[in-house]
Amino acid sequence: MKLYWSSRSPFVRKVMVAAHEAGVADRIACESVRVNSMDPHLPLMDINPLGKIPTLVLDEGEIIYDSVVICAYFDILNPKAGLIPTDPARRILALKREALGDGLMETLLNWLGERFRQQGEHSDKRIAVNKLKVANSLTLLEKQASDLAATPLDIGHIALGSALAYMDFRFGDLNWRADHPRLTDWHAAFSKRPSVVATAFFDDLAAKKA
C-alpha cells in the first residue's frame, strides 16, 4: 500500500498510529507530499479530487480517503486490534471521541493558517473562535480523562492523542497542560506507546533546508 503522507499532518499521524496498532505499518510505503490551500498538489488531485492527505492507495489500485475511512480499513484488516469496538455502546463512544479529536485537529489547522497570514491579512475574530473551540475541547477532555484512561485503546484515543500531540508540535505556547492535570497524565501514558513514539511529528521541510 502507498500512503500520501506528511510528517507535519495530524491526520496522517492519526493514521500511522492506527496502522502500527493494527500491525499493518510495515505494509505501507509513505510518499511525502506537500499540500496547502494555496498550492494544490495536482498529481494527488488526480486520485483524490480534494487533494488532501492522508490518501491511501491499495495494492490493487483502489483509493481510500480520508483518515476516518483509512482507519476503518485498518480495522477490517485486523479486527482483533480493536480500533473500532464491536460493542454498540463502546463503538459510539469511540466514534464520538474520534469526531472530537478530528474536529480539534481541523480547528488547530485553521488557527495555524491564520497565524501564517501576513500582518493585516489574518482575522482576529477567526483566531478567537478557534481559540475558544480549543479551550472548550480541553475543558471537556479534562473531565473525561479518567474515563479515557480506563477504556482500552481505540480510534477515539488515537484521534484525541494525535490532536494533543499536534498542539504540542505547533502550539507549544498554549501550555495546555498547566490547567489540565488529568488529561496531562493520560496523554503522557498514551505518548509512551510504541505506535506513538514511532510516528513523532517532525518538520521535514526544515530538515531539507538545513
Side-chain angles (χ1 to χ4, degrees):
M1 298 180 284
K2 178 193 289 187
L3 182 72
Y4 287 89
W5 170 97
S6 167
S7 65
R8 297 167 291 117
S9 165
F11 290 101
V12 169
R13 178 82 181 275
K14 170 193 165 187
V15 161
M16 289 306 300
V17 171
H20 280 272
E21 292 289 344
V24 300
D26 59 351
R27 297 169 55 182
I28 299 172
C30 295
E31 180 169 326
S32 179
V33 294
R34 182 186 180 193
V35 297
N36 62 61
S37 59
M38 301 300 293
D39 184 22
H41 191 283
L42 296 181
L44 178 58
M45 293 186 76
D46 286 340
I47 61 171
N48 179 344
L50 298 176
K52 298 175 71 173
I53 54 175
T55 295
L56 184 68
V57 183
L58 304 187
D59 293 339
E60 61 271 22
E62 184 177 354
I63 314 299
I64 298 180
Y65 48 82
D66 58 5
S67 70
V68 172
V69 185
I70 294 173
C71 291
Y73 177 70
F74 293 158
D75 184 69
I76 292 172
L77 292 180
N78 182 12
K80 292 183 179 179
L83 295 181
I84 303 177
T86 56
D87 174 76
R90 277 199 58 212
R91 183 184 185 92
I92 291 299
L93 178 60
L95 295 178
K96 281 176 57 179
R97 287 172 173 168
E98 182 184 21
L100 179 58
D102 286 358
L104 185 53
M105 291 183 213
E106 194 65 47
T107 298
L108 291 167
L109 287 169
N110 290 337
W111 188 353
L112 187 67
E114 289 298 320
R115 282 188 168 187
F116 282 162
R117 292 180 187 273
Q118 296 182 359
Q119 188 65 30
E121 294 183 355
H122 68 263
S123 168
D124 290 336
K125 185 174 183 179
R126 192 172 291 119
I127 290 174
V129 170
N130 288 326
K131 187 174 183 179
L132 178 61
K133 290 180 179 180
V134 170
N136 283 351
S137 297
L138 290 172
T139 297
L140 176 64
L141 291 173
E142 176 66 12
K143 294 176 181 178
Q144 297 181 351
S146 296
D147 290 337
L148 276 170
T151 309
L153 182 112
D154 57 38
I155 194 60
H157 297 81
I158 293 171
L160 292 170
S162 299
L164 293 173
Y166 189 70
M167 202 178 304
D168 289 334
F169 180 55
R170 289 303 198 199
F171 293 86
D173 56 304
L174 293 183
N175 192 24
W176 65 267
R177 289 176 175 81
D179 299 320
H180 306 92
R182 291 187 292 274
L183 185 59
T184 295
D185 290 344
W186 172 77
H187 194 253
F190 172 83
S191 299
K192 293 178 182 178
R193 297 184 71 90
S195 61
V196 180
V197 173
T199 56
F201 289 114
F202 65 92
D203 196 336
D204 51 336
L205 295 180
K208 290 178 182 179
K209 294 176 182 177

